[in-house]
Amino acid sequence: MKTRHWYWIWGALFIVCAALGFIRQEQPGWWYTAVSLLFFLPPAAILLRARKEGDTRNIKLMRYLSGASLGITALGLILNFLSVRWGEMAGDILHSVLVVVSTPMVASGYWALSLFLWASLWIAAGKGKRVDG
């Protein structure tokens, strides 16, 4: 499968996971978690292919996307906790930003799992300058 197909699949999963993140439930169903885990399959495939082919552009893109998601998520979580005193609307806006930026964290119901997978992607994309073959 071509790299661009993986990007299209990843984009579709991003939209699905972001939409699921906006559906408020006490405990998301098992399929929410399954879709959230599938979200990380395309970037892993892109990264593996890029490492195999020596495609530094896609490796850097994965590193920057995962790093940005982790960084903005950390900032969003801090601001979301601080927003308790800012009013309900500020909290809702920050939560909405968090749902989109940290997709699929909220959809899965297991925030640590999603953050771990983003961090794993970031570390895998940043690990060394050599290409494993």
Side-chain angles (χ1 to χ4, degrees):
M1 187 178 289
K2 293 183 180 180
T3 302
R4 74 170 180 218
H5 294 130
W6 284 114
Y7 278 112
W8 281 105
I9 294 169
W10 196 21
L13 286 169
F14 179 88
I15 292 168
V16 169
C17 287
L20 291 175
F22 284 109
I23 299 172
R24 296 188 189 255
Q25 291 189 11
E26 287 297 318
Q27 180 61 32
W30 64 269
W31 65 277
Y32 277 53
T33 304
V35 171
S36 297
L37 290 174
L38 281 175
F39 174 83
F40 291 99
L41 180 63
I46 292 167
L47 186 58
L48 286 173
R49 171 178 257 164
R51 285 225 175 257
K52 185 176 180 182
E53 295 174 357
D55 181 5
T56 57
R57 193 181 115 238
N58 279 317
I59 294 171
K60 286 181 182 179
L61 181 61
M62 289 299 119
R63 183 171 54 227
Y64 294 147
L65 286 173
S66 55
S69 178
L70 285 169
I72 296 170
T73 297
L75 179 64
L77 285 171
I78 292 168
L79 289 174
N80 215 344
F81 285 121
L82 293 175
S83 74
V84 169
R85 297 186 176 264
W86 299 344
E88 187 175 345
M89 190 167 112
D92 287 344
I93 291 170
L94 284 170
H95 181 74
S96 297
V97 169
L98 196 59
V99 167
V100 173
V101 168
S102 61
T103 295
M105 183 177 79
V106 178
S108 73
Y110 301 102
W111 291 26
L113 176 62
S114 178
L115 291 173
F116 173 76
L117 292 172
W118 272 118
S120 298
L121 185 63
W122 183 54
I123 290 169
K127 189 175 182 178
K129 298 288 182 187
R130 66 186 182 132
V131 175
D132 299 329

